[in-house]
Amino acid sequence: MISTMEKLTNSTSNKYTRKASFSNGTLIRSVDEFVLLEQAAESLKSALDLIEEASNKTSAWVDARNLLDQTAAALDDAGLALRRRPAMPKKLSKRRKLKIPDILKRKSTDPPSEISLTEASVRDLADQVIYKRRRLLGDMLVHDADGIWAKTMYGDCDGISFGSASDVLCRVPGDSKNEIPLIVWASQTGTAKKLAKHLHKSLGGDRHCIIRGMKDIGVRDLAKHKNVYIICSTFGIGRPPRNGEVFYSLVQLEAMRYQDNEEDIGDAEVEKPLEGTSFAIAALGSSDFEGFASFGFGLAKELVSLGASKALETTTHDDKNGKAEQKKSFQAWQAKAVALEDERRAGRPITSPHKRTFAPHAA
């Protein structure tokens, strides 16, 4: 299988050149290269294998950015294969010393043969990649709008498209953010949900806070709140729970889009979409397993890259020694969260989370 592509960027010398590096040393593709239909089919099949691996709950988590990169690379190969022309300029052929395969010299007026069936199969594989990728990302339409496939199918455009213009994540001004804290949970067995309900009750219930499952929110929901508390477990080999997979993928893609925008127009001109939002994460799991609590730490890193700040350091709550010990550990974190909200409600200045002392919470 072709390994994951590390990055796709525009070339400074040619807008249509794809500057890319692969961890396994696979050669870079550019728009003037020839790709055989058979090669494109293999790339697309590898992309489908990666999507299947990403969907497998027993496999390690596949970073959504890597998934997008490799599927975009495979679709670009398909675009190059389907961009066949009757002939290649002699000057280009001589300069590159390329022998034009007979398969690429066929004219569109030639009688139908196996080649048309091969084209159809490549298009079918490309459709499968697009459809299955979209399903994996919560039915979100994502495509590399600057890639060769998109240019082949839709013409010239720039950037990475994530659905419609209304899907663009923008920063919510501080005075427009909801003062009521948002509690978010992601759970595989129900423990994180149960503990999130305990926090919800301790903060005063529905009158004083909002609680949502991670599968029911998007990144923009975090941007609408000043304070967010996340209780999440890690499942399998460092994976988020099933009901957190789509959310985590979209957070990773938003982080990638922000980074691309930052590189295009400069750091000073880009507003980070989660600026003005603070968060705290309680990461649950068992240290008996590989990747203990890694989802919580990974999510924290992505949220910081999008401009959010940590109200509390991410803490782990291990159930290796039983649920009672895990609950006790969580209650200590919960007491800090409750004290933090008490400070905010009282209008007192919030001190540094690294130096804060917490008074007992009044019942």
Side-chain angles (χ1 to χ4, degrees), residues 3 80 86 142 212 231 254 320:
S3 63
L80 287 170
V142 182
R212 294 285 185 271
I231 299 94
E254 288 294 351
K320 179 180 180 179

Side-chain angles (χ1 to χ4, degrees), residues 157-175:
C157 45
D158 292 307
I160 297 175
S161 172
F162 295 77
S164 64
S166 61
D167 293 327
V168 174
L169 178 64
C170 299
R171 186 179 72 85
V172 176
D175 56 1

